[in-house]
Amino acid sequence: MTDQGRRRLLKGAAIAGAGAVLPGFARAQGGSDSDFYRIATEETFTTAEVYEATAVYIKSGADDEAGLGLPPADSALIRSLTDMGEGRLADMDSAGINVQVLSLWSPGVQIFDIAQGTELARETNDQLAGTIRRHPDRFAGLATIATQAPERAAQEIDRAMTTLRLNGVIINSHTKGEYLDNRKFWEIFEAAQAIDAAIYLHPRKPSVEMFQPFSQYAMDGPMFGFHIDASVHSVRLLLSGVFDAFPDLTIVVGHMGEGLPFWLKRLDDIVAREDLQTIKRRPSEYFRDNFVITTSAMFWDPILMLSHEVLGADRIMFGVDYPFASSEEGVAWLDAAPLSEADKKKIYETNARRVFNIVNA
Ligand code: MN
């Protein structure tokens, strides 16, 4: 459907009056009558070029990543991931999601050599900007960077935020087993802080070095390994002094904070006991000031309430993890969650606008 067609449909539905379900404002099945403006912040896509390059990479035997897998190009999953129009918008409409903040499927371009990774990042960001231009009221997007070349990655952050007007940066966790607390990556943080680009630190499979205990029972993927990897990565950042060097840097982590809200007091206690000298403040202080978490794929009241109590409503954003989790389930869950309407508005909309500078949607 064209934007014009969509607007016409919207207008028509409005005229139809009571009982009509507006695109983008559909009531969640079994949910409330609430009419929140809903921004979903961890919504996944891939491009034909990245898919093809990943397939070639795996086939070439160059795969030094643990257990990288790829579904067939004609599978439902890959079709969903590469659909930047009709199917994606239809899913958003039926769930009542107004805006998806798009980011490239993990591990993205971080597996490739520098030249290929850098080129694919540029191309991906150009395509993403094109998608947003076609649907400026429905999509925002995070820039992909090839972290394996930190200087060029920093330049791409500048280009993506200024020329392409993207809304932040996605980094799919470790890069060939290296973590961002390593100072060779810090010019990425410097560039991101300077231009006020939040970095979404998204999980991927554990690095080769930590893979073995995850190698059975499907533990390496989104069941557990992804989150342990992202959690370890986040703790390395918290303990490394990154946030003393870049006090205005914002890191976004999904999956209700990748377990960290649960661990904060323990981190503080042991950092004090060990008299760790790498940081000036307590880990929990950096986490509260420099991290924002999202609900992606973790539609569960107990951990929402824990996170809400530990961090407050200003540090939590709604996310689905489309197409790996259900938009409809995510909306029905948060609509019915035991929080005030004011806090839900922050989680659905206000925080995402602030963190990702969303103004057109
Ligand atoms: Mn995800």
Side-chain angles (χ1 to χ4, degrees), residues 7 18 23 33 37 47 74 112 117 129 157 182 220 302 358:
R7 273 195 296 276
D33 287 336
Y37 191 95
T47 67
D74 62 354
F112 303 117
I157 290 174
N182 186 325
D220 57 328
I358 296 170

Side-chain angles (χ1 to χ4, degrees), residues 70-123:
L70 202 61
D74 62 354
S75 60
L77 177 63
I78 299 301
R79 286 205 308 273
S80 295
L81 285 167
T82 51
D83 181 337
M84 306 305 276
E86 287 307 303
R88 187 176 289 270
L89 289 164
D91 179 86
M92 292 162 65
D93 288 344
S94 78
I97 289 171
N98 299 77
V99 179
Q100 279 193 348
V101 181
L102 299 165
S103 53
L104 182 66
W105 192 25
S106 178
V109 304
Q110 290 165 236
I111 55 176
F112 303 117
D113 66 36
I114 285 174
Q116 189 181 17
T118 302
E119 180 52 35
L120 276 171
R122 281 183 67 91
E123 186 179 79

Side-chain angles (χ1 to χ4, degrees), residues 214-236:
F214 294 90
S215 63
Q216 289 169 286
Y217 318 120
M219 280 173 63
D220 57 328
M223 180 202 296
F224 197 61
F226 274 30
H227 311 301
I228 298 305
D229 168 71
S231 185
V232 166
H233 202 155
S234 299
V235 172
R236 293 189 67 96

Side-chain angles (χ1 to χ4, degrees), residues 340-355:
S340 69
E341 299 285 291
D343 281 356
K344 286 181 198 174
K345 181 178 166 62
K346 289 179 177 181
I347 294 170
Y348 267 133
E349 179 184 4
T350 319
N351 298 337
R353 289 196 184 282
R354 181 186 74 244
V355 171

Side-chain angles (χ1 to χ4, degrees), residues 4 58 85-86 105 114 129 147 154 166 217 237 260 273 329 346 349 352 356:
Q4 207 177 13
I58 291 172
E86 287 307 303
W105 192 25
I114 285 174
T147 44
L166 295 183
Y217 318 120
L237 294 183
L260 288 168
R273 193 177 81 190
E329 184 191 348
K346 289 179 177 181
E349 179 184 4
F356 293 129

Side-chain angles (χ1 to χ4, degrees), residues 134-347:
R134 281 188 292 280
H135 303 282
D137 55 338
R138 304 306 303 275
F139 294 127
L142 306 182
T144 288
I145 54 171
T147 44
Q148 52 274 48
E151 189 184 347
R152 293 167 75 176
Q155 290 164 3
E156 182 62 7
I157 290 174
D158 279 333
R159 187 184 79 94
M161 296 296 288
T162 54
T163 311
L164 301 181
R165 311 293 292 272
L166 295 183
N167 303 86
V169 177
I170 180 94
I171 297 180
N172 287 303
S173 197
H174 66 85
T175 303
K176 299 183 186 292
E178 291 189 307
Y179 295 83
L180 296 166
D181 58 293
N182 186 325
R183 281 176 187 262
K184 74 187 216 183
F185 295 115
W186 284 20
E187 59 194 299
I188 292 172
F189 294 138
E190 193 176 349
Q193 177 181 265
I195 206 157
D196 197 22
I199 295 176
Y200 204 122
L201 189 65
H202 186 280
R204 59 175 298 187
K205 289 191 179 187
S207 63
V208 171
E209 288 75 13
M210 68 184 275
F211 189 77
Q212 204 283 327
F214 294 90
S215 63
Q216 289 169 286
Y217 318 120
M219 280 173 63
D220 57 328
M223 180 202 296
F224 197 61
F226 274 30
H227 311 301
I228 298 305
D229 168 71
S231 185
V232 166
H233 202 155
S234 299
V235 172
R236 293 189 67 96
L237 294 183
L238 288 172
L239 300 181
S240 65
V242 162
F243 303 108
D244 293 319
F246 306 105
D248 296 324
L249 182 66
T250 298
I251 301 291
V252 180
V253 283
H255 312 97
M256 215 67 91
E258 308 290 4
L260 288 168
F262 180 95
W263 289 108
L264 290 181
K265 183 174 185 301
R266 187 67 171 161
L267 294 176
D268 285 358
D269 288 350
I270 307 300
V271 160
R273 193 177 81 190
E274 298 289 330
D275 193 25
L276 199 69
Q277 296 294 314
T278 49
I279 49 176
K280 297 197 173 111
R281 303 168 70 203
R282 289 182 296 173
S284 66
E285 293 179 289
Y286 300 119
F287 196 76
R288 287 192 177 93
D289 288 351
N290 296 96
F291 277 68
V292 180
I293 72 169
T294 86
T295 66
S296 55
M298 296 290 226
F299 311 140
W300 197 29
D301 286 350
I303 50 172
L304 173 66
M305 300 317 285
L306 167 71
S307 300
H308 183 264
E309 186 171 342
V310 170
L311 304 173
D314 292 328
R315 313 301 290 186
I316 305 171
M317 299 190 288
F318 179 62
V320 169
D321 207 359
Y322 177 88
F324 304 101
S326 159
S327 306
E328 192 175 281
E329 184 191 348
V331 167
W333 163 74
L334 187 55
D335 275 13
L339 292 176
S340 69
E341 299 285 291
D343 281 356
K344 286 181 198 174
K345 181 178 166 62
K346 289 179 177 181
I347 294 170

